[in-house]
Each structure stands twice: as structure tokens, then as C-alpha cells.
Amino acid sequence: GQNIDQPTEMTATEGAIVQINCTYQTSGFNGLFWYQQHAGEAPTFLSYNVLDGLEEKGRFSSFLSRSKGYSYLLLKELQMKDSASYLCAVGGTTDSWGKLQFGAGTQVVVTP
Amino acid sequence: DARVTQTPRHKVTEMGQEVTMRCQPILGHNTVFWYRQTMMQGLELLAYFRNRAPLDDSGMPKDRFSAEMPDATLATLKIQPSEPRDSAVYFCASGSRNQGWGYTFGSGTRLTVV
């Protein structure tokens, strides 16, 4: 199974940068995923990392270190609409592609 | 944009009643998932299918839950009999490995069992 830890809540001001850390312990691994979920809505896919390193996608970047069981999601130039829950998820083995185990989520609050 | 369609959006039912939730995956996606989300447990995988065949339903209480894909355009999740502890948001998601790693969630069915 997997054990996934991420902070419960983070607060930052508009225009700032926030880094959401995620650590995991897993018996199988096939990628680290980040999803965004606004209150009352469905999760939406943000990014994934399969190999070590940094993946950049606009204002969002995600980093992975498989040896350390560690990932982070970096949100730059924060906007009010970025207030949401950010879910870290670990993918299963190749044979069980898509079997994502989700963390509890980090609630990001962006203040003016 | 292609999307996953779930019905109903909201369901309130009495304990002991049967509940059926439906999902239409995105055309061309061969993998369909059912997740349940609660404040206490977060997002939990209940079951998933690939090419309509069930791959894993170990997260699902077998005595009362059942999941099926009668055809490629329809996935169903049934609870019989329902209990108050089943109150949650049930999400369906679909994806296909050859179309990228991220998969798409439906808007969910908010179930309340009283």
C-alpha cells in the first residue's frame, strides 16, 4: 500500500509563491500526480512526474525525487482563483495503471 | 471539451433503499474509475475497469456495493441496501494510457442517506 503525507492547510498572499510538499511510502510506484479541487467541484489534473526532476507548466511546477519519496508542487504568482485543495496522488504499478492513491489534500488559501 | 457525465448530481434517499449512480466516460477512454470522497477519508478508490473488465474492486464493500460496465458508454455503481455511512460524493473518472497520464473526473454524485 501507500502512505501519503501533505500539509493540511497553507495560506499565502496574492502574487506570492507557495510550495506544497508531499512525501510518500509505497510498495509500487508509477508516477506522482497533482490534482486541484475547488470546493464543491471535481478534481482536475494538474501535472505528473514519472522521472526525477522538475516539470514546469506555466505558473505551476512539480518536482519529484523517487529516492527520497518526495514531491512538491510550486505555485507561482498566486491568484485568488488558486484558492483550492491540492491533492497529491501516487500511481500504481504498470499493471495497475490508473490506480491512484490520493493524499488528504492541502487547502491553499490565497489572501488579497 | 470532452467530459465525464455523471447522474444524478444529487441524491437523497432513506436508509435501506437501493441507489444507482451512472457514469458516461469520455469516448475513447478505456479505463473507468469509481472514487468516493468524504471529509474523514478523502478520496478512496472503490473500483476500476479497463476495456469494461473489472480490474480491482478491493476498495468496495462487496456485501452492498456493486459496479458494472454494461457497455463502453455506461458504468454503474449500485448500493443495496444503502446506509447513512454511505453518504459521500461519488466520482467517476475515465482515462486512457495512450492519451496521457491524467484522467478526467465527472462532477460527482452527492449522496445523502438519511
Side-chain angles (χ1 to χ4, degrees), chain B:
Chain B
D1 286 342
R3 56 180 185 163
V4 176
T5 303
Q6 287 187 248
T7 56
R9 288 295 307 275
H10 301 273
K11 176 73 176 178
V12 180
T13 191
E14 292 184 346
M15 183 173 62
Q17 296 298 305
E18 177 179 300
V19 175
T20 299
M21 291 169 270
R22 293 178 174 81
C23 167
Q24 180 178 1
I26 292 173
L27 188 64
H29 283 184
N30 69 345
T31 309
V32 176
F33 313 84
W34 282 105
Y35 278 89
R36 174 171 65 181
Q37 188 173 38
T38 60
M39 288 294 292
M40 293 298 294
Q41 300 295 328
L43 264 172
E44 304 172 277
L45 179 65
L46 296 175
Y48 76 112
F49 297 78
R50 181 159 300 136
N51 298 321
R52 295 177 56 202
L55 286 191
D56 188 343
D57 60 2
S58 59
M60 199 165 67
K62 306 273 193 320
D63 57 336
R64 299 183 299 109
F65 285 59
S66 62
E68 296 179 347
M69 273 202 80
D71 61 60
T73 64
L74 177 64
T76 62
L77 180 67
K78 289 186 181 180
I79 308 174
Q80 169 62 22
S82 58
E83 298 180 1
R85 59 179 168 155
D86 301 328
S87 297
V89 181
Y90 291 81
F91 287 106
C92 173
S94 72
S96 186
R97 197 168 178 176
N98 62 4
Q99 293 188 20
W101 287 95
Y103 50 86
T104 305
F105 281 77
S107 299
T109 294
R110 182 173 295 275
L111 174 66
T112 303
V113 183
V114 298

Side-chain angles (χ1 to χ4, degrees), chain A residues 14-100:
Chain A
E14 204 172 4
I17 298 173
V18 70
Q19 177 175 313
I20 306 168
N21 295 325
C22 172
T23 58
Y24 63 90
Q25 296 171 319
T26 178
S27 58
F29 178 83
N30 200 23
L32 191 292
F33 297 72
W34 286 96
Y35 280 77
Q36 179 191 59
Q37 186 175 25
H38 286 99
E41 297 183 9
T44 55
F45 170 73
L46 286 180
S47 69
Y48 81 92
N49 297 68
V50 178
L51 301 175
D52 289 355
L54 187 67
E55 293 283 341
E56 297 187 81
K57 192 184 292 186
R59 295 187 298 111
F60 295 177
S61 303
S62 57
F63 171 84
L64 174 66
S65 168
R66 288 173 298 172
S67 62
K68 295 181 179 178
Y70 168 70
S71 173
Y72 68 72
L73 179 69
L74 195 68
L75 284 62
K76 294 177 275 191
E77 301 169 19
L78 278 173
Q79 302 175 8
M80 297 299 292
K81 67 178 181 179
D82 297 330
S83 292
S85 181
Y86 291 84
L87 303 162
C88 170
V90 176
T93 62
T94 301
D95 289 342
S96 60
W97 174 83
K99 189 175 180 179
L100 296 190

